[in-house]
Amino acid sequence: MAVFTSEYDPMDKEKKEKMEEHQELLADMLDLAIQELEEIAKDSEIYMIDQMKICDDYESIFQCLKHQALKRKA
């Protein structure tokens, strides 16, 4: 049975270890993920929303992810 958690829950131990294991690649991975989200927004009109604003370009998607990560830390 699947356990559902909130996106604001702390990262589980397994995921955190995986991130630490590949820390040197995280910046490139994030850059690629943001570029993919930007393409999805453009091609499919599926958007992330941050503070009631559509995130559809690199900067706005980056800021949205940053805000989500800060909420997770709180």
Side-chain angles (χ1 to χ4, degrees), residues 4-74:
F4 296 101
T5 60
S6 166
E7 63 189 42
Y8 302 117
D9 288 346
M11 192 182 311
D12 68 32
K13 184 179 177 183
E14 249 182 63
K15 289 178 184 175
K16 192 169 191 152
E17 287 174 358
K18 187 178 294 264
M19 296 290 179
E20 289 170 355
E21 208 174 296
H22 301 284
Q23 190 165 1
E24 71 280 356
L25 297 174
L26 289 180
D28 286 325
M29 291 167 66
L30 177 60
D31 180 55
L32 291 167
I34 292 172
Q35 288 179 45
E36 288 293 323
L37 289 168
E38 195 174 16
E39 284 298 311
I40 290 168
K42 183 173 62 175
D43 295 342
S44 303
E45 295 182 1
I46 299 172
Y47 307 106
M48 297 178 73
I49 304 294
D50 185 37
Q51 300 175 350
M52 304 297 290
K53 295 177 186 163
I54 290 176
C55 303
D56 59 356
D57 62 12
Y58 194 97
E59 181 63 26
S60 65
I61 293 169
F62 181 91
Q63 292 301 322
C64 178
L65 293 171
K66 179 179 149 188
H67 291 148
Q68 297 297 324
L70 289 170
K71 285 181 187 177
R72 182 183 258 191
K73 290 251 183 226

